[in-house]
Amino acid sequence: MNQDASYFFCGIGGSGMLPLAMIVQASGARIEGSDRALDQGRMPEKFDWLRAHGVTLHPQDGSGVTRPDQIVVATGAVEETVPDIGAARRVGATIKTRPQLLSELFNAAPTSIGVAGTSGKSTITGMVAWILSQAGRRPTVVNGAVMKNFADADHPFASALVGGTDLFVAEVDESDGSIARYDASVAVVSNISLDHKSMEELRDLFGGFVSRAATAVVNLDNPETAALAQALVAEGRGAGVVTFALGNEDADLAAHDLKPTPTGMTFELAKRATGDRRAVTLNVPGAHNVANALAALGAVRALGVDLDQAVAALEIFSGIRRRMEVVGTRKGVTVIDDFAHNPDKIAATLKTLHAFDGRLLILFQPHGFGPLKLMRQAFIDGFAGLMRADDILLMPEPVYYGGTTDRSVGSEDIAAGVRAAGRRAEALADRAACGDRIVELAQAGDRVIVMGARDDTLSSFAAELLARF
């Protein structure tokens, strides 16, 4: 890292860019940036916070990129139509992608934990960060979501943690193939299922990720990750594999007797090596969060953190923002804000919420036309299979910021499939119309769940929806 360099982040307010910018700034570099949301007047509090923390902001029109010594950081795909990229080409500035820069920082650390998987990455990363911080290990952390334990008045967007240079923890992404850049000391894989790429591509990417690590922490409950563990054992690398599972005695760390509580979960943690068992209470709900906790325990165990100390930290872990986050209750209607956007995440949320009584009014805003087309049947099967007879699904059209995306499959295709399977589903013109319909339908005892990704205004929408009750 060149401490005297000047970095310009395109889309600096994004969930992936903001934490990386804060880490780079902590090294002493100058930070500038632009964001489409800033130009559109969205989320002004976030950009006010960035300015207050020494970040120079520009319109996303290329006017901020003027010098060849600037390093312009783009998203995973360098889009030539973005004015900042065009300006960088003209002035001869260096262009790096976010994964390229993050992986350079990650790989430079003597010890690193990379957290990957189709679902659960942000929560596991947050759990690992909290355990290591409580253990006095001062990790530097880049997460894709706000970690509530680290959020305060001065750090409302705590998706990054600035620690030492010797231990780096990061959520790593397979959707753009950038997971291939990361050489982790400890590679965590929570699960593998169809999301952005074909299963063949995913197997290659995740297989390479764990094969490059000294320790692989993998989930025996998922067939694909269990196969990763078997492959490592077959290669004679079984000593570097830590497995976890729910109710499976063969796993190194297993959870038994799971019981939901109004605010979380209780379970019995079993260590295969010693046969020891101990009770654990989590303050985050759902069986999927028990699996996330086991993954985090496996990761920190590889770094020598005492199990009792790790469990004590987990029991005061307060979660990740927009992961089944209760916005509030008014007139007997509870509104919940949730990041679920693929079939696995949606299934985890619905199963968790159905542990308790109450109709669900589900607003699902798809995060793109591409994923909707790729996972069309999985979305239909997931909603139809997990919704109860009185639940209602409402869908606006997917998030769309322009471009040449194939828009042949829309929300009505999903809603029609869910209706054909005997469940109630409606596709409406836009999110505002969905909100009006929810207000019309809601009754005391209902829970409204606002689901979706790639759109930070969903949280504002959830808060506004609550106020309307």
Side-chain angles (χ1 to χ4, degrees), residues 273-325:
T274 62
D276 293 343
R277 289 181 176 245
R278 58 162 298 163
V280 180
T281 300
L282 295 180
N283 284 310
V284 286
H288 64 291
N289 273 323
V290 174
N292 291 338
L294 295 178
L297 291 172
V300 300
R301 170 179 134 168
L303 300 188
V305 176
D306 176 75
L307 183 65
D308 289 338
Q309 188 177 31
V311 168
L314 275 180
E315 292 191 325
I316 54 172
F317 175 73
S318 55
I320 300 293
R321 196 157 293 164
R322 293 209 70 230
R323 275 30 175 207
M324 276 189 285
E325 184 174 18

Side-chain angles (χ1 to χ4, degrees), residues 318-400:
S318 55
I320 300 293
R321 196 157 293 164
R322 293 209 70 230
R323 275 30 175 207
M324 276 189 285
E325 184 174 18
V326 175
V327 180
T329 301
R330 293 188 70 173
K331 300 291 181 67
V333 179
T334 298
V335 176
I336 300 165
D337 188 18
D338 192 56
F339 186 70
H341 60 279
N342 64 35
D344 276 2
K345 291 182 172 72
I346 291 167
T349 294
L350 296 183
K351 288 175 183 176
T352 299
L353 292 175
H354 278 148
F356 297 92
D357 293 334
R359 181 175 70 163
L360 300 182
L361 301 179
I362 306 160
L363 183 143
F364 172 51
Q365 177 178 284
H367 63 296
F369 283 95
L372 201 62
K373 183 176 181 179
L374 178 67
M375 297 177 281
R376 173 180 180 171
Q377 196 58 47
F379 278 124
I380 293 170
D381 293 345
F383 281 116
L386 290 169
M387 288 171 62
R388 291 178 178 168
D390 58 347
D391 293 342
I392 304 174
L393 171 66
L394 299 111
M395 293 178 62
E397 282 298 281
V399 172
Y400 177 63

Side-chain angles (χ1 to χ4, degrees), residues 10 17 36 73-82 85 89 95-100 173 175-178 181:
C10 301
M17 285 295 202
R36 191 180 312 169
V73 185
T75 56
V78 177
E79 299 179 20
E80 300 297 334
T81 56
V82 174
I85 298 300
R89 300 283 191 209
I95 299 173
K96 289 189 177 185
T97 65
R98 177 190 178 273
Q100 184 180 358
D173 194 5
S175 65
D176 58 2
S178 62
R181 293 181 173 273

Side-chain angles (χ1 to χ4, degrees), residues 100-156:
Q100 184 180 358
L101 178 57
L102 176 56
S103 61
E104 288 173 2
L105 299 174
F106 181 90
N107 293 339
T111 304
S112 57
I113 298 177
V115 181
T118 307
S119 305
K121 295 187 290 291
S122 296
T123 299
I124 296 169
T125 302
M127 287 176 166
V128 169
W130 182 240
I131 293 168
L132 292 174
S133 296
Q134 290 293 101
R137 301 291 286 269
R138 296 187 65 246
T140 289
V141 182
V142 173
N143 203 338
V146 173
M147 300 173 283
K148 292 183 183 180
N149 288 84
F150 300 105
D152 56 30
D154 194 46
H155 300 89

Side-chain angles (χ1 to χ4, degrees), residues 156-169:
F157 309 106
S159 50
L161 184 64
V162 179
T165 58
D166 60 332
L167 177 55
F168 204 115
V169 181

